[in-house]
Amino acid sequence: MATNQDAFRDYLQFEKNYSPHTVKAYGDDLTSFEVFNKTHFNEENIDQVNYNQIRSWIVSLIDTKISNVSVNRKVASLKAYYRFLLKTKQIEISPLLKHKALKTSKIIQIPFSEKEVDAVLHQVDHPTGFEETRNKLIIDLLYTTGIRRAELLGLKLVNINIPNKTIKVIGKRNKERIIPVLPIISTQLFQYLGERDSLDVIVDQDYFFLSKKGVKLNESFVYRLINSYFSTVSAKVKKSPHILRHTFATHLLNNGADLNSVKELLGHSSLASTQVYTHNSLSELKNVYKNAHPRGESDLKNK
């Protein structure tokens, strides 16, 4: 017999178009609260609970020393579930109606400098063989398109249009977008395909990026790849595919790209999501402002 939680998962997957990974994460959070509720309040059904029960769960999560960001994410899963129950008229009021999220410190993601990116690209400038050609393309593609790691791994052969110099990316909530690629990247795509076709065995035929054994790459591989190369040129704490995405956006904005255009390239649903990158280009903006404004030159002379 289907439960409200089953219906909620179907709602997330088929109506909200959330990825299987996201649906599972929501389900795991509900199960976690369900187990807590049964253990501490001897109640199996989480559809009818009061805020005190949820608050006790939150306190228990904090006691495990996980971050406030993680706690807020888990509570957000509960919020979504109770909104669903409201929508389907299973409850009349959400127990989280007056809940306030825990305070979190804003983490500023520091992008790589152009010098650091150039240094890494210089390392992979003349690839030989399948793996080197693939690795160079992965680094270049992440930096020149700003696609997410999951989007890169989800690329299929049918998504690559070399004649048109475009790739089709399946983003969050299964939203599709077409991204132009630079001529140099188009050439690399063609070269990689030649190396890919020379593999002895191809297991995951549909997927574009493969291991030397012919299977689809996993997320940890791409993280290790980016971390490994950028660790040789950068002392920044975080060296990940996501930082390379930040770098893409920041470098575009620093060089005069329109914010709306960057938003479209990144696949953001709102401009607010893209504006988080503008803090990185504030110093560049100050220089442009001083050089362009009529009072800017006199201001510089007085210093």
Side-chain angles (χ1 to χ4, degrees), residues 102-282:
L102 300 178
K103 289 184 178 180
T104 59
S105 56
K106 191 171 183 180
I107 301 174
I108 297 177
Q109 305 281 4
I110 302 175
F112 300 118
S113 67
E114 291 187 33
K115 185 178 179 180
E116 287 171 335
V117 174
D118 286 342
V120 167
L121 296 179
H122 180 71
Q123 289 181 40
V124 295
D125 203 22
H126 301 289
T128 57
F130 168 75
E131 290 185 297
E132 287 187 8
T133 302
R134 177 201 61 200
N135 293 351
K136 174 177 171 55
L137 177 58
I138 287 175
I139 295 169
D140 262 330
L141 202 57
L142 288 172
Y143 175 57
T144 60
T145 65
I147 61 175
R148 302 176 178 93
R149 173 172 52 174
E151 294 171 343
L152 177 128
L153 292 172
L155 284 174
K156 296 184 177 180
L157 288 174
V158 295
N159 300 142
I160 310 299
N161 192 325
I162 293 176
N164 285 349
K165 297 182 176 60
T166 60
I167 58 174
K168 179 162 70 173
V169 172
I170 311 300
K172 290 184 175 181
R173 304 186 186 180
N174 289 326
K175 289 183 179 178
E176 295 184 358
R177 68 185 189 279
I178 305 296
I179 301 178
V181 296
L182 300 172
I184 190 172
I185 302 300
S186 184
T187 300
Q188 287 184 51
L189 290 169
F190 182 76
Q191 291 171 342
Y192 167 73
L193 279 174
E195 295 287 352
R196 183 185 182 279
D197 289 342
S198 68
L199 290 174
D200 294 332
V201 178
I202 297 181
V203 179
D204 294 320
Q205 294 278 352
D206 293 341
Y207 287 94
F208 185 69
F209 283 112
L210 304 174
S211 73
K212 63 182 179 180
K213 294 182 179 179
V215 299
K216 179 188 175 187
L217 297 178
N218 57 49
E219 291 196 356
S220 62
F221 172 85
V222 179
Y223 176 85
R224 290 196 307 271
L225 174 71
I226 299 304
N227 187 269
S228 173
Y229 276 103
F230 279 90
S231 290
T232 65
V233 301
S234 176
K236 291 181 173 67
V237 175
K238 292 200 70 176
K239 296 174 279 289
S240 67
H242 192 65
I243 296 299
L244 209 46
R245 177 171 161 86
H246 276 260
T247 303
F248 163 80
T250 302
H251 289 184
L252 281 181
L253 291 169
N254 282 351
N255 286 281
D258 172 66
L259 192 62
N260 274 302
S261 299
V262 176
K263 166 185 170 292
E264 294 301 317
L265 289 168
L266 291 172
H268 285 158
S269 56
S270 70
L271 200 59
S273 299
T274 314
Q275 284 174 325
V276 299
Y277 299 103
T278 58
H279 75 271
N280 292 318
S281 46
L282 184 58

